[in-house]
Amino acid sequence: MPKLEEAIRVYRELEAELAPVCERISVAGSVRRRRPEVKDVEILVIPKDSPIDLLTAKLYDMVAAGILRLRKDRRGRTSFGPQNKLLVHVASGIGVDIFTTDAARWAVALVVRTGSKETNISIARAAKDRGMRFLAYGDGFDTDGGHIVCYSEEQVFRAVGLPYRQPWER
């Protein structure tokens, strides 16, 4: 498994390349949780609004330049869609997962994409116990009485009565 330091280096390289075509960009997953060894580099982005998809164009340019390559799943298929783009950083061999979202869904997406799996399950379970439904690809929670929008990671945890935990505590 790749070491955290190498994954951070890959993230910084990709962040510099992608920043011009993104409104917002953040590392997520095990790198954000500061795990000593990571499986891949997960990156959450809000692409810049443009008549053309600048993010996809930039990623295809990086594939053509040999910086990235498309990654195949267990069935031998690539996954490179509007929201999820699975790639490999060629020089390091580290998998790179790029997830797109928008400003309204940023906080929830950052919590979900940072994980851990156990944290996400805890949030969903706490929501269910309160009669709520966690919208993992949305902006918060649905309740019988309406909708709760979360504008920060802290609000996601508070909405279900859980104490906020820093990414490295998850």
Side-chain angles (χ1 to χ4, degrees), residues 148-169:
I148 299 171
V149 176
C150 297
Y151 299 100
S152 70
E153 288 183 280
E154 292 86 353
Q155 287 179 337
V156 173
F157 284 82
R158 275 198 310 253
V160 295
L162 294 175
Y164 176 71
R165 292 171 47 209
Q166 294 291 338
W168 51 89
E169 299 172 324

Side-chain angles (χ1 to χ4, degrees), residues 22-99:
C22 294
E23 293 292 332
R24 196 164 184 186
I25 185 168
S26 177
V27 71
S30 56
V31 175
R32 188 164 184 250
R33 292 192 323 270
R34 301 181 186 168
R35 295 294 171 250
E37 294 183 340
V38 301
K39 185 179 93 179
D40 54 21
V41 175
E42 295 184 41
I43 302 173
L44 183 65
V45 302
I46 299 174
K48 283 189 177 175
D49 190 25
S50 172
I52 60 169
D53 185 347
L54 296 174
L55 174 64
T56 297
K58 178 64 175 176
L59 290 169
Y60 276 130
D61 286 348
M62 293 172 75
V63 167
I67 298 167
L68 297 170
R69 69 174 162 79
L70 299 179
R71 186 170 84 218
K72 294 186 177 181
D73 64 17
R74 293 180 196 119
R75 296 183 204 131
R77 297 181 308 203
T78 59
S79 180
F80 193 92
Q83 292 185 310
N84 303 334
K85 296 161 179 34
L86 305 184
L87 303 146
V88 173
H89 181 259
V90 174
S92 68
I94 297 175
V96 176
D97 298 349
I98 298 177
F99 302 104

Side-chain angles (χ1 to χ4, degrees), residues 113-128:
R113 291 299 172 193
T114 295
S116 69
K117 177 182 175 181
E118 293 78 16
T119 297
N120 292 339
I121 290 170
S122 294
I123 292 169
R125 187 173 292 131
K128 185 176 179 182

